[in-house]
Amino acid sequence: MTKSRSLALIGTVVAGTLLVGYTAQADPAADSAPRSRTPHVESVSPALAKYDKERVQELWNDDSLSRRDRGLITIAVLIASGQTQELGRYTDRALDDGLSAAEISEAVAQLAFYSGWQSAKAAVPVIAEVFHRHGVDADQLPERDPEPLPQDQEAEQAREKRVQEQYGSVSQGVVDDTDDVLFDDLWLRPDLKPRDRSLVTVVALIATGQSGQITVHLNKAMDAGLTDDEVDAMLNHAAYFTGWPKVFTAMPVIRDVLESR
């Protein structure tokens, strides 16, 4: 696959579509943390209202993880899970909490590859409306053809050789695109730091129940600066947005990674 084709694939998801129009309600909440926009929670489930007000609000104010990171994690869960109803609210708050439009744009592209093309494209009109309200224009989005980050050539050659030997006889097309599109292109885009790109990927794997892929990406995240304490806080936060079973399914793999480092 050519480099131009690789960039075109990513650009289709990010810069070319993020400014599509979409109509969404303005955020009515003035609380310190995002809350559900679903009306009448108290009249349907007093227990849910209690947990939303007391525990989820408290979670957002827990400084074991920055509010910026909590926004990034929440956006990743919602996109990976196809839950766009409240994506606009959390994207809006994430921008207020310091996540840039370029970082959100790159997260959308990353999630297209790690949770499915349509899940990422479904998020585009919702995020486009938030960007419009915040005055985000094309100049604030990543370039289609940015200067790539440096790559560890020795490590990459070893990875390519290993994947070719294991899976080349199964699907050479997947192997080629893994090399050309993902690791020689997507992962080298500079507008989302390697630590955050890996964090988004790990969260997507948890949210979609793909625990078998977590080891490599969690190690990448930690090699890029994610700490043990932040992993702890990430899991605690994700549990509320993707559900306890998915987090507990991932925890044996994550425990093994932490213990091996």
Side-chain angles (χ1 to χ4, degrees), residues 80-101:
S81 304
Q83 301 179 47
T84 58
Q85 181 179 357
E86 295 203 356
L87 178 61
R89 170 185 294 288
Y90 288 106
T91 302
D92 185 80
R93 186 55 61 97
L95 288 167
D96 290 341
D97 286 337
L99 199 64
S100 73

Side-chain angles (χ1 to χ4, degrees), residues 73-85:
I73 289 167
T74 306
I75 288 169
V77 168
L78 295 177
I79 294 176
S81 304
Q83 301 179 47
T84 58
Q85 181 179 357

Side-chain angles (χ1 to χ4, degrees), residues 104-120:
I104 293 171
S105 173
E106 286 295 316
V108 172
Q110 186 77 10
L111 290 163
F113 289 93
Y114 286 92
S115 62
W117 215 250
Q118 291 308 118
S119 65

